Amino acid sequence: MTQVRDRPKNRTRAQETQVRGRLTDPEAEVIALSPRTLLTTNRFLCEICSKGFHRDQNLQLHRRGHNLPWKLRQRSTKEPRKRVHVCPEKSCIHHNPARELGDRTGIKKHFCRKHGEKKWKCEKCSKRYAVQSDWKAHSKTCGTREHRCDCGGILFSRYILWYHYC
């Protein structure tokens, strides 16, 4: 009888596979984009009016308006190969295909959050964010939970209250 190693209850099978350092799907195609390519918007440009699009299919539909030849890609009948997106930053743990992130959007948000410039700043607490959706989510709740200091000051985070000097 073989002994089955129990994994910790808080890990899923996929996480356990990643911890052991193997890809969840060894047949997966590893996608490693450069930071410049990862952060570009409107990668597909119309040669007539220079309008940009996120996806090639959107450009093809736009080309119809110019009466240009266009072609939509048909879905293939064979099973699509799984893609694994890795972080372009060599020192990042997500640069390893065993610690991949799900899709292009996920790796883009990760790269911005962990390695990018923090462009958006909360007006109430001065906290900065690299991803606009994070900043918007924070802005909805910032200032709703007030913390009062013994000196009478009102602070918007427990962290600031902890390091606040009267």
Side-chain angles (χ1 to χ4, degrees):
M1 185 165 103
T2 60
Q3 185 178 3
V4 176
R5 186 175 72 98
D6 291 330
R7 66 177 177 269
K9 294 185 188 294
N10 58 347
R11 283 191 190 150
T12 65
R13 185 174 302 281
Q15 288 170 332
E16 184 67 18
T17 303
Q18 287 181 344
V19 167
R20 284 187 251 130
R22 292 191 306 247
L23 282 169
T24 52
D25 184 1
E27 298 294 316
E29 176 185 2
V30 177
I31 308 290
L33 301 170
S34 70
R36 185 168 175 245
T37 304
L38 188 64
L39 298 177
T40 56
T41 56
N42 300 334
R43 297 180 307 147
F44 302 96
L45 296 174
C46 175
E47 61 271 18
I48 302 295
C49 65
S50 300
K51 186 173 181 178
F53 298 91
H54 292 285
R55 295 174 42 215
D56 181 49
Q57 287 191 316
N58 294 350
L59 172 62
Q60 296 303 325
L61 290 171
H62 169 81
R63 288 171 59 96
R64 288 174 25 185
H66 293 300
N67 292 324
L68 293 172
W70 55 278
K71 181 181 177 188
L72 291 179
R73 272 193 326 194
Q74 301 297 317
R75 291 187 183 232
S76 66
T77 55
K78 65 179 185 176
E79 187 73 24
R81 195 166 157 202
K82 185 181 187 297
R83 292 181 168 185
V84 171
H85 291 78
V86 296
C87 181
E89 186 69 35
K90 300 241 186 281
S91 61
C92 181
I93 62 168
H94 294 291
H95 185 70
N96 180 353
R99 301 290 305 247
E100 49 94 8
L101 290 159
D103 58 1
R104 186 183 173 115
T105 303
I107 197 69
K108 183 176 179 178
K109 283 188 175 185
H110 158 79
F111 185 79
C112 289
R113 283 180 182 129
K114 301 299 178 187
H115 312 294
E117 175 191 353
K118 297 187 176 187
K119 302 176 199 171
W120 289 276
K121 180 180 173 186
C122 177
E123 298 299 321
K124 296 176 187 171
C125 69
S126 300
K127 192 170 180 182
R128 301 184 74 84
Y129 292 91
V131 177
Q132 188 178 21
S133 60
D134 293 346
W135 169 73
K136 282 183 177 180
H138 166 82
S139 297
K140 289 178 182 176
T141 60
C142 183
T144 57
R145 289 173 250 137
E146 297 176 346
H147 302 278
R148 292 194 178 271
C149 178
D150 295 336
C151 71
I154 298 173
L155 304 158
F156 293 112
S157 82
R158 204 176 302 150
Y159 176 80
I160 294 173
L161 177 63
W162 182 261
Y163 290 102
H164 169 71
Y165 295 104
C166 300

